[in-house]
Amino acid sequence: AVVSTQSTGGVAIIKCPARSKAILLAVDYHNHRVQAFDVETGRYINRIKDPHYIKYPTGIAVNPTNNHIVVANWGTDTISVHVTSEGDTDNYENDKFGTLVKVIGDNDGIKFTNLTGITVNSIGNLIVAHDSKVDIFNGDYQLTRSFQMKNEASFFGSLLGSFSLSSLDVRVCVDAKDNILVCNANNHKVQVYDKQGQWINSFGKRGSDECSFESPVGIVVDHETSEIVVVDRDTHRVMFF
């Protein structure tokens, strides 16, 4: 069984106590698949492919309450939900790995645009960031609330974002208190909201100094140390806060 998971952008880690090992799940954007590897050895374990829904996958998370693998698919504007293994085992090499159990955004009245950022909090709530909006789903993947991200981009930055691929780079994660952290390549900031979607604060500005960003495209929080890690694309660095 899974006891802890963490994800950011296109990768997710599953820790498997029964085997004292960790599994790395990685989205493979151009090959339209998710691949699983042994973290310690790098050995390939399995993959998930679905010709109907997994197209240009951009984000992945693991639900700690039921071991579901949740995939954001930019090519279909859907989120596909898959099982990790059959029953209460951690055998990721069996043929049940990746079986589709649910699709969100497919003829259910839910619409995603520029789908990239997803994460799952400690109680199994799915959090989806797309364009300037964040959607929160309960453990049954039913939409419970939505909120608009605070617009802190300059006029020029907002205008440029509407004509560039940077508008696709919205990433999201949660901290140990299930606060929601969002980074957006357009506004060069990290924004923090509580679990209900109420704005708490933000940090960062556009630039190349120690507290600035140039298109942040990845974010994760170490739940043991509360350290925030941000991948800043255009300055080619990983930053720790």
Side-chain angles (χ1 to χ4, degrees):
V2 170
V3 293
S4 59
T5 64
Q6 187 58 280
S7 63
T8 176
V11 297
I13 298 290
I14 310 176
K15 295 180 181 179
C16 312
R19 295 187 175 188
S20 300
K21 71 192 304 186
I23 303 298
L24 172 70
L25 301 172
V27 298
D28 191 358
Y29 181 81
H30 288 292
N31 286 318
H32 313 291
R33 63 187 178 183
V34 173
Q35 298 199 75
F37 301 89
D38 184 302
V39 169
E40 184 176 343
T41 66
R43 182 179 67 88
Y44 169 82
I45 295 175
N46 214 326
R47 69 177 184 176
I48 304 173
K49 284 183 71 78
D50 187 303
H52 299 292
Y53 296 109
I54 297 185
K55 294 182 180 179
Y56 300 107
T58 52
I60 189 169
V62 177
N63 190 327
T65 66
N66 55 23
N67 298 5
H68 285 165
I69 300 170
V70 187
V71 183
N73 299 291
W74 184 82
T76 57
D77 285 327
T78 63
I79 293 174
S80 55
V81 183
H82 309 261
V83 297
T84 50
S85 57
E86 188 174 29
D88 191 28
T89 71
D90 59 359
N91 179 15
Y92 300 110
E93 299 180 59
N94 64 53
D95 58 5
K96 299 296 184 181
F97 176 83
T99 299
L100 183 71
V101 295
K102 188 175 181 62
V103 178
I104 308 170
D106 182 33
N107 297 319
D108 55 7
I110 297 171
K111 182 174 177 58
F112 300 117
T113 306
N114 295 335
L115 186 56
T116 53
I118 61 171
T119 193
V120 180
N121 68 14
S122 64
I123 61 173
N125 290 340
L126 171 64
I127 301 162
V128 182
H130 56 111
D131 271 357
S132 60
K133 182 181 179 184
V134 176
D135 295 327
I136 302 176
F137 297 79
N138 63 20
D140 295 322
Y141 306 112
Q142 301 298 312
L143 181 64
T144 59
R145 68 180 64 90
S146 299
F147 64 91
Q148 293 291 320
M149 287 179 266
K150 189 177 178 68
N151 184 7
E152 298 183 284
S154 66
F155 172 77
F156 178 76
S158 298
L159 184 64
L160 180 63
S162 66
F163 293 104
S164 70
L165 286 177
S166 63
S167 62
L168 303 181
D169 291 326
V170 182
R171 299 295 178 178
V172 62
C173 70
V174 292
D175 65 14
K177 297 180 180 179
D178 282 339
N179 292 321
I180 301 167
L181 290 82
V182 181
C183 70
N184 188 322
N186 281 343
N187 63 21
H188 314 285
K189 291 179 180 290
V190 172
Q191 297 181 336
V192 185
Y193 303 85
D194 68 17
K195 64 180 69 176
Q196 304 300 324
Q198 297 298 311
W199 187 81
I200 298 175
N201 58 38
S202 65
F203 61 90
K205 58 183 176 61
R206 187 169 192 176
S208 57
D209 61 31
E210 291 182 351
C211 297
S212 301
F213 303 113
E214 282 283 357
S215 300
V217 293
I219 186 168
V220 69
V221 177
D222 186 324
H223 289 187
E224 294 183 359
T225 66
S226 297
E227 196 168 46
I228 302 169
V229 185
V230 180
V231 177
D232 198 34
R233 183 183 62 199
D234 292 347
T235 61
H236 312 289
R237 60 186 178 179
V238 178
M239 306 171 71
F240 297 81
F241 299 89

